[in-house]
Amino acid sequence: MEILYKSTRGHEDKVTASAAILQGLAADGGLFVPERLPEFDKTMEEFSKLSYQETAYEVMKLLLTDFSEEELRSCIRRAYDSKFDTEVIAPLAEVEGTYYLELFHGRTIAFKDMALSILPHLMTTAAKKNHAEGEIVILTATSGDTGKAALAGFADVPGTRIIVFYPKNGVSPIQERQMVTQKGDNTCVVGIHGNFDDAQSGVKKLFGDRELAAWMQERGFRFSSANSINIGRLVPQIVYYVYAYAQLLKEGRIVDGEAINVVVPTGNFGNILAAFYAKNMGLPIAKLICASNDNKVLYDFFRTGVYDRNREFILTSSPSMDILISSNLERLIYRIAGDNAAENSALMEALAGEGRYEITGQMRERLDSFYGNFASQEECAEKIRSLYDKTGYVLDPHTAVASVVCDKYRKETKDGTKTVIASTASPYKFTRSVMSAIDKKYDGMEDFALADELSRLSGVAVPQAIEEIRTAPVLHTAQCEKDGMEQAVKAFLEK
C-alpha cells in the first residue's frame, strides 16, 4: 500500500516518497513525514536470517513505496558495498554487558555514512522518476560529520552539485581536513564565522527564499538537501536498529519479542527519531534514551516540556552534538501533537521568534518512551579513559556521551534491560580528545601522530579515511559571514 508524505506544517498536498526526497524541505518550511508508519511485514526471526542489504530492502520498501523493487535494490547494492570495511556493515561489539552498534565502518568513519551512502542513489533515481529538469544543488549545513559524508556521496555524481557550510571553528581538526581536501569538480565547502545553528538556520532560509529560487531556475538549478531534514536520510537510519535487534536474536543474546533499550548521542535528533520510527513500526524497543552533551537543550526539554534555545552555546569535545536547534524534533512534536500541523506550526513560530516553546501536558504524556540526560566533557573523558583501561575498547567522545548517560539511566532506574548504544563515530575522527582523555601526556602531539599512537594502543589499524587525508592538498578555502551564505552559493554556481 502506497505511503505518501506530508509537511509537518500542513500547507501542502501529499507527495510521493521520491518527490519528498527530491524536494528535501517542504515549501512551507515544514519537514516531510509519512502519512502513517507501516508495520514490518517480516518477523524478527525472519529478519535475523537476512544480511544488512536484505534488511535494508525489507525495511525501506515499506516507506519508499513508489520505488520499484529493481530501483530500490540497485540503490542498496551500490550503497552498501566495499566502501564499508566490514561485510556486516554495522557490527555489534559487546563491552561490559552493553552492545555498541558500530556505525562508523563507512567511507568517512561516522554514522552519517549509513544514510549518505544511499541518498545520492535515491536522489538521482527520484529525479528520473519525477522527470526533474536541471542540476540538483545539494545545500547542507554540518556540525562535522554530515558534510564529509555528503561530499563523499555526491562527489562527481552527474547532474548534481553540493555546497557544504560548516562552523569554521566548531569542528575537530580531522573533520575539517576531511572536508577541505574533498575532491570533485561539483563540490564546494565554505567555513562560516558562526556556529552550527547559524549554518543550519541559514540553509533553511535559503530554501525558503523565492527570489533565490527564481534565480536558480533561470540558470537550470534546483535545491535539495542532504541534511537529516531530508526524509531520504531518515528512512535508511531505521534499518540499522532493526539489524541490531535481529543480530542479537540470531546470536541468542535475546529471545524473540524481548524488548531492548536504545541509547543515542543526540544533536539534531534524526538518529534517535529513526529509532522511534522503528519502535512504532514494531521493533521491540522499551526506552529511547536521548544523550546530550553540555548543550543540554534536549535534556531540559524531556525533563520540563520546555524547549529553550536561549542559552550559551558551548563548544565541546563532541562537536557534532553542539546544537541548540534540533531540527528533527519537529517531526516528533508533530506526532505527539496528534499530527496537528497548526499546533506544530505555532510552536515552531514561537521557537523562531522567541527561541522557546512549551508543549502541553497531553503531549508530554506521549513522550513516555523517552528518557533524557546529559554528560559533561569531564564525565566523557573519564568514561573514555576508564573503559580503555578496563577493556582496551576505545570510544569517540560522542559515543562516550551515550555511554555515560546509559550508566546514569541504569543507576537512576535500576532497569536491567539489554541495551544497544549507537556508536556514531570512530575514535580516529577525534584523536586529540580521545588521546588526551586516555593520558594527558599526548596533549602536545600533532593529529596524525596521535592517530598512529591510537592504533598502537588499540590494536586497530588507522582507517583509510585518515590515511588518505594525511598528505592530501587543501582544495577548499572559502569562508563567509553567517549573512553571506547566499553570495557564497551564487559564487559557486556561477563558476
Side-chain angles (χ1 to χ4, degrees), residues 22-130:
L22 195 58
Q23 201 169 324
L25 189 70
D28 60 9
L31 308 186
F32 285 115
V33 290
E35 58 185 342
R36 60 183 176 84
L37 285 173
E39 292 184 0
F40 296 124
D41 60 5
K42 288 271 187 294
T43 66
M44 291 303 126
E45 184 64 37
E46 288 173 319
F47 274 122
S48 73
K49 296 177 171 62
L50 303 182
S51 67
Y52 191 89
Q53 293 85 347
E54 291 165 337
T55 303
Y57 174 73
E58 295 298 335
V59 172
M60 292 170 65
K61 74 175 187 184
L62 301 174
L63 286 158
L64 307 183
T65 53
D66 68 322
F67 285 77
S68 70
E69 178 175 352
E70 182 182 351
E71 287 169 338
L72 192 50
R73 286 194 185 278
S74 173
C75 290
I76 290 166
R77 186 175 61 251
R78 287 181 285 168
Y80 304 114
D81 58 10
S82 60
K83 70 174 72 72
F84 286 82
D85 64 18
T86 170
E87 283 188 21
V88 298
I89 307 297
L92 280 165
E94 184 181 0
V95 186
E96 293 192 318
T98 299
Y99 300 96
Y100 289 84
L101 178 60
E102 295 185 346
L103 300 172
F104 52 76
H105 289 274
R107 182 184 286 159
T108 75
I109 57 177
F111 83 101
K112 305 295 174 70
D113 288 322
M114 303 301 294
L116 282 164
S117 292
I118 194 169
L119 183 62
H121 304 297
L122 293 174
M123 196 170 282
T124 52
T125 302
K128 291 174 187 172
K129 293 175 76 66
N130 289 273

Side-chain angles (χ1 to χ4, degrees), residues 75-374:
C75 290
I76 290 166
R77 186 175 61 251
R78 287 181 285 168
Y80 304 114
D81 58 10
S82 60
K83 70 174 72 72
F84 286 82
D85 64 18
T86 170
E87 283 188 21
V88 298
I89 307 297
L92 280 165
E94 184 181 0
V95 186
E96 293 192 318
T98 299
Y99 300 96
Y100 289 84
L101 178 60
E102 295 185 346
L103 300 172
F104 52 76
H105 289 274
R107 182 184 286 159
T108 75
I109 57 177
F111 83 101
K112 305 295 174 70
D113 288 322
M114 303 301 294
L116 282 164
S117 292
I118 194 169
L119 183 62
H121 304 297
L122 293 174
M123 196 170 282
T124 52
T125 302
K128 291 174 187 172
K129 293 175 76 66
N130 289 273
H131 309 291
E133 295 181 1
E135 277 191 276
I136 301 168
V137 178
I138 307 299
L139 193 60
T140 292
T142 184
S143 55
D145 288 336
T146 286
K148 174 58 181 179
L151 289 161
F154 281 94
D156 294 324
V157 171
T160 70
R161 297 196 194 189
I162 178 166
I163 305 169
V164 170
F165 291 97
Y166 74 97
K168 178 68 181 112
N169 297 307
V171 301
S172 81
I174 295 290
Q175 284 177 313
E176 181 173 45
R177 190 160 181 84
Q178 281 188 302
M179 288 187 282
V180 299
T181 58
Q182 176 65 51
K183 297 176 183 177
D185 291 339
N186 66 334
T187 65
C188 174
V189 180
V190 183
I192 77 159
H193 300 150
N195 59 39
F196 170 72
D197 288 333
D198 296 323
Q200 181 168 250
S201 297
V203 163
K204 283 187 174 181
K205 184 178 178 183
L206 293 176
F207 267 102
D209 188 328
R210 294 189 177 182
E211 287 184 16
L212 179 59
W215 184 92
M216 299 267 294
Q217 190 173 4
E218 284 175 12
R219 290 157 179 79
F221 298 119
R222 56 180 296 161
F223 278 142
S224 191
S225 174
N227 277 88
S228 54
I229 56 175
N230 192 316
I231 197 70
R233 273 278 305 274
L234 199 58
V235 171
Q237 290 180 275
I238 298 170
V239 175
Y240 46 72
Y241 293 110
V242 178
Y243 184 72
Y245 186 95
Q247 293 312 296
L248 291 175
L249 182 59
K250 180 180 180 180
E251 294 167 9
R253 313 279 185 169
I254 56 175
V255 297
D256 197 1
E258 180 181 351
I260 62 170
N261 290 338
V262 172
V263 190
V264 187
T266 310
N268 220 13
F269 208 75
N271 202 2
I272 197 166
L273 185 72
F276 175 75
Y277 278 12
K279 174 181 170 71
N280 282 269
M281 293 172 73
L283 191 66
I285 294 176
K287 277 291 181 186
L288 295 151
I289 299 170
C290 178
S292 300
N293 66 12
D294 285 309
N295 292 289
K296 53 190 177 69
V297 64
L298 288 166
Y299 162 74
D300 292 337
F301 169 72
F302 283 115
R303 290 295 164 108
T304 67
V306 175
Y307 192 97
D308 190 348
R309 66 174 174 85
N310 298 310
R311 62 185 69 203
E312 180 189 1
F313 184 94
I314 303 169
L315 292 174
T316 75
S317 56
S318 47
S320 298
M321 298 162 64
D322 290 346
I323 294 170
L324 294 180
I325 304 174
S326 300
S327 282
N328 271 286
L329 187 63
E330 179 172 347
R331 287 185 165 114
L332 180 65
I333 297 298
Y334 175 77
R335 187 173 178 87
I336 63 174
D339 290 4
N340 186 322
E343 190 167 354
N344 174 70
S345 294
L347 293 172
M348 294 307 117
E349 285 172 18
L351 180 64
E354 301 153 32
R356 72 188 299 277
Y357 60 78
E358 182 171 3
I359 61 174
T360 65
Q362 186 179 32
M363 291 169 74
R364 285 192 71 182
E365 288 174 9
R366 293 173 177 164
L367 294 174
D368 60 348
S369 60
F370 283 91
Y371 168 91
N373 214 318
F374 77 102

